[in-house]
Amino acid sequence: MPPLAFIDHLLNFVAPAFFVALTLVLAARWLLRRQAGSPGFWAQFVVNFIAGVAVLAVGLGYFGRDGKMATYAALVVVCGSVQWFLAGGYRR
């Protein structure tokens, strides 16, 4: 596979994790009150993105291919749980 095609495939693989992480962090800043001691915007985004890529990689390994709806559902649940934890939802 040529390097440009590899980069294209890699970016398309991580794109759902990127957009879910970005959407969650922006929505949390808009909808939730900021808790003292909660991480900043970029820290929350990076943690959500890494968790999302990990879920996508596990889904690829388990199902043997990318793009299964179960993997995307797990992506939303895991990233939502991570964002809840980072935003201090357990302290309420």
Side-chain angles (χ1 to χ4, degrees):
M1 177 182 306
L4 212 50
F6 176 75
I7 291 171
D8 182 46
H9 280 84
L10 185 63
L11 290 176
N12 284 322
F13 177 72
V14 299
F18 178 85
F19 287 108
V20 168
L22 183 64
T23 303
L24 279 172
V25 173
L26 289 174
R29 290 180 76 78
W30 183 55
L31 294 173
L32 300 175
R33 234 177 347 136
R34 177 136 186 201
Q35 295 288 327
S38 64
F41 177 85
W42 289 109
Q44 290 180 15
F45 172 75
V46 168
V47 171
N48 276 313
F49 179 69
I50 290 171
V53 170
V55 168
L56 292 174
V58 168
L60 177 63
Y62 183 76
F63 292 116
R65 68 183 187 97
D66 182 29
K68 297 284 278 186
M69 289 306 292
T71 304
Y72 293 142
L75 170 70
V76 171
V77 169
V78 167
C79 285
S81 300
V82 168
Q83 182 61 37
W84 171 81
F85 181 78
L86 289 174
Y90 60 92
R91 289 185 238 160
R92 294 181 191 167

